[in-house]
Amino acid sequence: MAPEERIAGASLEVRDLAVVYSDVIHALRGVTFSVPGGSIVALLGANGAGKTTVLRAATGLLPMHRGRTVRGGIELDGTPLGRRGAVDLVRAGVAQVMEGRRIFAPLTVEENLRTGAFSRTDRTAVAASRDRVLELFPDLRGRLDDVAGYLSGGQQQMLAIGRALMAGPRLLVLDEPSLGLAPLMVRQIRDAIVAINEAGTTVLLVEQNARMALAIADRGVVMATGRVALDGPADALLADPQVQASYLGGTVGEPLPDAVAQALPDTGEPA
Ligand code: ATP
C-alpha cells in the first residue's frame, strides 16, 4: 500500500439523537453509541428500527428526506456536526455508500471513480486512492472504460465502495453492502471492508447479514424501534442468545412488532 494512503480514522459519537420525519414520524427516540476512531461498528436491527436514519444523520442527508434532529446530536472527532451538509461532511472525511448501489449507471467506471474525488485537489493522493481501489477490487481494473450500468450487481457494489474511497475518507458509512449479493461476492466485499479498516479508516456498517457484520466488527449496536436495544463487543453479541434468536437465525428481527410500534402515537415512553 502507498504510505500516503495510511489514514487516521475519525471517531463518531452519537448522543441522545432524536429524529423526526415530516414533523410527525419519530424515527429515532434518543440514540446513543460510540464509533471509536479506527474501529468497525456494526449497526443492526429489524426493518424500520432506524439504522438508515442514523446514517443519514451522520452524513448530512436528513433534510433531503424531510428529516430533522429534534434532540441530541452527533460529534465527529469531538466536534458537533450541527447542520453541516453532505458535501461539507465529505470534505471533513465522511464518505458513504448508500443502500442499493447508487452508482451513475450511464457513466463509465473510470468516470464514476473520478466523481468520488470531487472534494480533493491533491492529484497525487487521488491517483494513490485510485490505485488502492483497483488493488482492492481487481475486477474493476479491466472494466474502467465500460458503462457502469452494465456491471454485475457485485461489481456495482465494488464500484460504489470504490467511489466512496476516492474521497480518501476517515469514516466510511456503509448501508447494506451485501444486500442481494451471492456468497462469493459477499466474501469479497467483507474482505475489502476489513482491508479498508486495516488501512485506518473507521467503518460504520449497517447490515441485514448480522453474522458477517459481527464477524468483522469490533462492536455491535442493535437497534429496535428508534432506540438502542443492545450495545457491546461484537463477539459477545455473536454469543448472545437474544441476538442469535433475532438476528442470526436466518430471518431478520421481528418486523411486525416494530411496524406496529412505529404506527402507535409517540407517548415519550419506551416502546
Ligand atoms: P430498513 O432496514 O428497512 O432500511 P432501518 O432500520 O434502516 O430499516 P429507517 O429506514 O431508518 O430504518 O426507518 C426508521 C423509521 O422511519 C421507519 O418507521 C421508516 O418508515 C421511517 N422513515 C424512514 N425514512 C422516512 C422518510 N423519508 N419519511 C418518513 N418516514 C421515514
Side-chain angles (χ1 to χ4, degrees), residues 67-84:
R68 128 185 117 77
T69 298
V70 290
R71 197 175 72 235
I74 302 185
E75 290 176 6
L76 183 70
D77 282 338
T79 304
L81 294 188
R83 288 164 179 255
R84 293 173 80 163

Side-chain angles (χ1 to χ4, degrees), residues 21 25 27 46-53 56 65 99 176 208 262:
Y21 287 109
I25 298 162
N47 291 323
K51 306 177 298 291
T52 300
T53 302
R56 285 175 183 160
H65 299 271
E99 191 182 335
E176 311 264 10
Q208 296 282 349
Q262 288 290 341

Side-chain angles (χ1 to χ4, degrees), residues 194-253:
V194 169
I196 290 162
N197 176 251
E198 280 173 353
T201 299
T202 309
V203 177
L204 178 57
L205 171 64
V206 163
E207 257 300 336
Q208 296 282 349
N209 187 338
R211 196 177 292 280
M212 181 277 259
L214 289 174
I216 63 171
D218 299 292
R219 291 190 75 78
V221 176
V222 180
M223 293 184 64
T225 55
R227 291 191 174 85
V228 173
L230 288 167
D231 180 351
D235 46 3
L237 291 184
L238 269 173
D240 184 306
Q242 192 187 337
V243 175
Q244 285 182 354
S246 298
Y247 302 104
L248 304 176
T251 53
V252 179

Side-chain angles (χ1 to χ4, degrees), residues 123-229:
R123 286 186 183 194
T124 312
V126 170
S129 291
R130 181 179 173 281
D131 288 349
R132 176 75 176 136
V133 168
L134 298 180
E135 187 187 320
L136 279 172
F137 302 119
D139 282 19
L140 298 180
R141 209 177 271 278
R143 311 290 307 260
L144 286 168
D145 296 327
D146 292 356
V147 169
Y150 291 145
L151 298 179
S152 72
Q155 288 169 339
Q156 289 190 15
Q157 187 59 276
M158 292 173 182
L159 178 57
I161 297 173
R163 190 178 59 188
L165 291 179
M166 290 297 289
R170 297 189 307 118
L171 171 69
L172 181 63
V173 171
L174 297 165
D175 198 355
E176 311 264 10
S178 80
L179 193 68
L181 300 185
L184 178 64
M185 273 305 167
V186 173
R187 281 199 291 278
Q188 287 188 29
I189 297 291
R190 177 199 64 193
D191 292 348
I193 296 169
V194 169
I196 290 162
N197 176 251
E198 280 173 353
T201 299
T202 309
V203 177
L204 178 57
L205 171 64
V206 163
E207 257 300 336
Q208 296 282 349
N209 187 338
R211 196 177 292 280
M212 181 277 259
L214 289 174
I216 63 171
D218 299 292
R219 291 190 75 78
V221 176
V222 180
M223 293 184 64
T225 55
R227 291 191 174 85
V228 173

Side-chain angles (χ1 to χ4, degrees), residues 112-121 126 129 163-168:
N112 266 276
L113 291 179
R114 252 188 278 144
T115 64
F118 77 90
S119 62
R120 300 170 88 188
T121 49
V126 170
S129 291
R163 190 178 59 188
L165 291 179
M166 290 297 289

